[in-house]
Amino acid sequence: NTRESDLAFFLGNRQVIILLPETPQQGAKDVETKLIQIPDPLRQYMESSPSKAVIRHGSCFYSGNYPLSLDEMMQKLYDSLAENE
């Protein structure tokens, strides 16, 4: 399910970011968990493919109660990705 307020962007280099505004932190983690559940046929294909597709995931919660630059937010996202490798 998607909401009109949810946004997805292609960042390049095979990266996608999904913004879930006004979503509680646990709600965002639940969405992240659902997104990384890969059906078995796709997982088998990914494991046998010479291109070796990789799905990395992470999250960054921002309450909106303090200033946060785009660079700071992206760094938090990349740090989160590194933690989940």
Side-chain angles (χ1 to χ4, degrees), residues 49-74:
S49 172
S51 62
K52 298 295 180 197
V54 175
I55 296 177
R56 296 172 59 201
H57 61 93
S59 61
C60 171
F61 181 74
Y62 175 59
S63 67
N65 294 328
Y66 56 91
L68 182 69
S69 72
L70 176 59
D71 290 338
E72 292 170 323
M73 183 181 75
M74 293 305 292

Side-chain angles (χ1 to χ4, degrees), residues 38-52:
I38 302 169
D40 286 336
L42 180 56
R43 184 179 302 280
Q44 291 168 358
Y45 173 77
M46 289 170 58
E47 291 171 354
S48 65
S49 172
S51 62
K52 298 295 180 197

Side-chain angles (χ1 to χ4, degrees), residues 3-68:
R3 304 171 302 174
E4 287 186 25
S5 61
D6 297 340
L7 303 168
F9 300 94
F10 178 70
L11 297 178
N13 194 25
R14 302 180 311 194
Q15 296 179 339
V16 175
I17 185 170
I18 301 171
L19 301 178
L20 306 170
E22 299 183 18
T23 303
Q25 192 167 14
Q26 186 58 52
K29 288 181 180 184
D30 292 345
V31 169
E32 180 181 1
T33 299
K34 289 177 184 178
L35 287 173
I36 62 173
Q37 293 174 348
I38 302 169
D40 286 336
L42 180 56
R43 184 179 302 280
Q44 291 168 358
Y45 173 77
M46 289 170 58
E47 291 171 354
S48 65
S49 172
S51 62
K52 298 295 180 197
V54 175
I55 296 177
R56 296 172 59 201
H57 61 93
S59 61
C60 171
F61 181 74
Y62 175 59
S63 67
N65 294 328
Y66 56 91
L68 182 69

